[in-house]
Amino acid sequence: MTEEPSRRLLLVHAHPDDESINNGATMAAYAAGGARVTLVTCTLGERGEVIPPELQHLAGPALGAYRQRELAAAMEALGVEDFRLLGGPGRYSDSGMMGLPDNDDPGCFWQADVDEAARYLVEVILEVRPQVLVTYDENGGYGHPDHIQAHRVAMRAADLAAEAGWPIPKVYWNRVPRSVAEDAFARLAENLPALPFSKAAVVDDVPGVVADERITATIDGTAYAAAKAAAMRAHATQIEVAEGGGSFALSNELAQPLFSTEYYELVRGQAGGPRETDLFAGLNPDAGTTAGEAS
């Protein structure tokens, strides 16, 4: 019988590509270090805007199926073997941007019963028994209904899993410190003439930007920058990565910095130090509890 990895990381995301943009370097680093990295994606992104002209015929279920293949390619680039769709492929569909009629589709994730959706995630939690959960903040990072719902479902599932016998010791939200974002956009502005993008986004277009003091963990993924860029390129319907991998653009064609160092805010659990450089800091991997709580 294969021995269970001592470190187990669970990430919950809304659509294929969100994981690579937000956490690609972190996922690659932990996978390379022998941790079990599990990704749960809540929808297939069937309502995403498609960038390449040759793929713009894709829409609805056909786009979802294509994006599922993109997700598999991205996970291969990151070295992640365990990736799943919440409740199985097609259980919940993309809800579209906030305020659109798509939000009213009874099959979309935004309309899902939170407890019902959370129970699907609890099944994964009780199987994998992660010590660390990563997801979005209560605004989903930038207000997309599927991101907000992913936050609600992930946090509710953490509560239900605790009741069922597996309290997740540490829960983090994706973050970017404002000073880091500002510096990166300043450099991007200088480099813009050499990039394939004519305009740049602004700092507030980046999900999860907060005051620096809210950051509790920094994961230096510099060694995995190429893997992150490759994973993002795999999501070709949604992302264009510039040559060199230092910037990218979504369907709005506005350049953004590609961060190889990724940042987090601990919202549940005990920090392993004043500024963690390891999401598992302070944990006893054998017990799945903080060192101070181990029996």
Side-chain angles (χ1 to χ4, degrees):
M1 183 175 180
T2 303
E3 184 178 351
E4 181 180 68
S6 62
R7 299 195 298 173
R8 301 177 298 278
L9 169 64
L10 172 65
L11 304 100
V12 178
H13 276 288
H15 315 104
D17 80 353
D18 292 323
E19 81 296 324
S20 297
I21 296 170
N22 286 276
N23 311 114
T26 299
M27 295 171 72
Y30 280 113
R36 177 171 182 172
V37 178
T38 299
L39 169 69
V40 175
T41 306
C42 297
T43 82
L44 285 171
E46 299 92 337
R47 291 188 166 103
E49 295 182 357
V50 177
I51 295 174
E54 66 274 17
L55 296 176
Q56 287 178 357
H57 64 282
L58 295 171
L63 176 57
Y66 194 93
R67 293 188 69 178
Q68 188 173 3
R69 294 194 292 274
E70 290 182 332
L71 180 61
M75 293 304 95
E76 183 175 2
L78 298 178
V80 173
E81 298 180 355
D82 186 8
F83 53 98
R84 315 167 185 215
L85 278 300
L86 183 68
R91 172 68 64 176
Y92 299 111
S93 65
D94 188 344
S95 307
M97 298 301 288
M98 187 66 84
L100 296 178
D102 297 333
N103 304 164
D104 299 324
D105 181 345
C108 78
F109 191 45
W110 183 239
Q111 293 295 328
D113 179 84
V114 170
D115 275 11
E116 176 189 85
R119 283 192 287 271
Y120 290 121
L121 185 56
V122 169
E123 293 176 5
V124 179
I125 293 172
L126 295 181
E127 174 195 337
V128 174
R129 300 189 304 154
Q131 298 109 331
V132 176
L133 167 65
V134 171
T135 191
Y136 314 106
D137 65 14
E138 65 275 8
N139 190 45
Y142 74 110
H144 191 292
D146 286 332
H147 288 240
I148 295 171
Q149 190 78 320
H151 159 85
R152 293 172 177 169
V153 168
M155 300 304 287
R156 179 60 177 150
D159 292 338
L160 294 175
E163 294 174 7
W166 187 258
I168 301 174
K170 300 177 81 174
V171 178
Y172 291 90
W173 292 345
N174 295 306
R175 293 300 191 197
V176 179
R178 185 165 291 276
S179 69
V180 169
E182 290 174 347
D183 290 346
F185 272 93
R187 293 192 300 272
L188 181 66
E190 295 174 0
N191 297 330
L192 195 61
L195 297 176
F197 317 117
S198 58
K199 295 181 180 180
V202 296
V203 168
D204 288 337
D205 291 329
V206 177
V209 173
V210 293
D212 290 30
E213 56 266 25
R214 293 186 62 174
I215 306 301
T216 62
T218 301
I219 304 300
D220 183 355
T222 305
Y224 301 94
K228 175 171 180 169
M232 290 174 63
R233 284 194 181 95
H235 292 290
T237 60
Q238 307 300 302
I239 307 171
E240 181 182 358
V241 179
E243 186 175 351
S247 62
F248 71 98
L250 302 175
S251 60
N252 59 13
E253 301 181 354
L254 298 177
Q256 296 187 43
L258 192 155
F259 296 104
S260 57
T261 297
E262 295 167 347
Y263 304 87
Y264 302 90
E265 179 182 4
L266 182 68
V267 295
R268 291 188 185 179
Q270 182 178 336
R275 186 67 171 261
E276 298 174 318
T277 55
D278 178 6
L279 300 181
F280 293 87
L283 293 180
N284 177 343
D286 295 324
T289 61
T290 58
E293 296 170 346
S295 58

